[in-house]
Amino acid sequence: MLFGVAAYGLWGLLPLYFMVLKPAGAVEIVANRVVWSLVFCAILLTVMRAWKPMLAAGRNPRIVGTLGGAALLIAVNWLTYSWAVLNEHAVEAALGYFINPLVSVLLGVLVLKEKLRPLQWAAMGVGFIAVLVLALAYGNMPWIALALAFSFGFYGLVKKGIGSRVDAVSSLTIETAVLTPIAAAVMVWLGVSGAATLTTNGPAHMWLLIASGVITAVPLIFFGAAARRLPLSTVGLLQYLAPTLQFILALTVFKEAMPPERWAGFGLVWLALVMLTVDMIGGPRRNRKLRAAAAAA
């Protein structure tokens, strides 16, 4: 439980870290995040003496191809999120992660052909109405929120295809290794064009950017430790901690506007999440009843 709270708590406080990285932009932040994450993962693999499983996974073209797709999706997610926080859209970014569970359910239906229970269908309907209300509130579709929700939803779907064949550290290492050539080229281009801030804003700024590797990897490792030990329903409930913290920061620290129509849209999203949560909590009880009925038959 502590691992889970730590993971989602760190993700929830991430906007504060991005704000202290100014004047670095979203592209520079993500490029540094990728490169320094790979460095941190290499150190971690050495300390843990875990190079063998990572190299074994790296020699499997199917695993590398799947994780390469996951890497592109998480890069889109990171870029969108960084840009949103740095450009006073933290509320909409938080909305994206509130919508994410609904998107995951939708992808389960469309891609995995899963069947929804009545309460899940009702939650999806409320979520759809919420997006329409928020579109009216923003004057257009909440594209930032939708981009975050769908990129992370597809990321989870791709990672589901990997399952337990690759551990969390090896998976992160391969994903960042796929992105590192692009990220390194971006860092060089920013440096040549004079737009990089890594070495021009003092040692404190430089070390804060380098620390992005640790700040990226540690929550993912905590999440992996929690996911292996906790029931899926508990992990599902913990995931609401991150967007809740992001939402609170957006209102109290960044002072972003929250007019009544946005409250209405958020309220509908929260109602949909309550419905999904109630259905999720009732899942074990339904399974016990089904097993008992099967045993009786």
Side-chain angles (χ1 to χ4, degrees), residues 222-268:
F222 284 169
F223 173 77
R228 287 195 298 272
R229 293 168 172 84
L230 291 175
L232 186 61
S233 58
T234 305
V235 176
L237 290 175
L238 284 176
Q239 72 178 320
Y240 302 136
L241 176 61
T244 299
L245 288 173
Q246 293 164 8
F247 181 69
I248 292 170
L249 288 175
L251 295 186
T252 60
V253 178
F254 306 144
K255 307 293 183 184
E256 291 191 13
M258 195 68 182
E261 57 270 25
R262 287 190 192 176
W263 280 111
F266 268 79
L268 287 170

Side-chain angles (χ1 to χ4, degrees), residues 45 50-51 53-55 57 67 166-175:
L45 287 170
W51 279 98
M54 195 284 294
L55 292 174
L67 291 177
V166 185
D167 62 89
V169 179
S170 296
S171 177
L172 179 62
T173 303
I174 294 170
E175 287 174 42

Side-chain angles (χ1 to χ4, degrees), residues 139-154:
N140 51 46
M141 290 296 287
W143 295 115
I144 293 172
L146 293 175
L148 288 170
F150 275 92
S151 60
F152 202 73
F154 275 106

Side-chain angles (χ1 to χ4, degrees), residues 16-200:
L16 294 175
Y17 172 66
F18 288 156
M19 294 306 290
V20 300
L21 290 180
K22 285 186 173 182
V27 173
E28 184 178 11
I29 289 173
V30 172
N32 276 273
R33 199 173 173 183
V34 169
V35 171
W36 300 118
S37 290
L38 184 61
V39 173
F40 179 74
C41 284
I43 295 171
L44 201 60
L45 287 170
T46 302
V47 171
M48 296 170 61
R49 298 180 180 178
W51 279 98
K52 188 174 180 180
M54 195 284 294
L55 292 174
R59 285 191 289 268
N60 186 319
R62 186 171 181 179
I63 289 176
V64 173
T66 302
L67 291 177
L72 293 176
L73 287 166
I74 203 64
V76 170
N77 186 272
W78 288 353
L79 275 170
T80 305
Y81 184 76
S82 303
W83 184 91
V85 171
L86 294 172
N87 289 274
E88 300 181 355
H89 291 284
V91 166
E92 193 175 347
L95 173 65
Y97 290 110
F98 278 126
I99 294 175
N100 178 245
L102 297 170
V103 169
S104 296
V105 172
L106 178 64
L107 292 176
V109 174
L110 297 179
V111 180
L112 303 179
K113 307 303 180 185
E114 295 177 352
K115 295 185 182 297
L116 296 188
R117 293 178 290 273
L119 193 56
Q120 290 176 313
W121 276 117
M124 293 300 296
V126 172
F128 179 74
I129 294 170
V131 171
L132 294 179
V133 170
L134 287 162
L136 292 172
Y138 281 99
N140 51 46
M141 290 296 287
W143 295 115
I144 293 172
L146 293 175
L148 288 170
F150 275 92
S151 60
F152 202 73
F154 275 106
Y155 176 75
L157 188 66
V158 171
K159 295 279 280 189
K160 184 179 175 65
I162 291 293
S164 59
R165 287 180 291 167
V166 185
D167 62 89
V169 179
S170 296
S171 177
L172 179 62
T173 303
I174 294 170
E175 287 174 42
T176 50
V178 169
L179 295 173
T180 292
I182 301 171
V186 168
M187 290 174 68
V188 170
W189 175 74
L190 289 172
V192 171
S193 64
T197 66
L198 178 64
T199 58
T200 59

Side-chain angles (χ1 to χ4, degrees), residues 284 286-297:
R286 283 192 303 271
N287 291 337
R288 284 195 297 270
K289 287 182 178 179
L290 288 172
R291 285 195 295 268

Side-chain angles (χ1 to χ4, degrees), residues 4-18:
V5 170
Y8 284 109
L10 287 169
W11 280 328
L13 297 175
L14 205 55
L16 294 175
Y17 172 66
F18 288 156

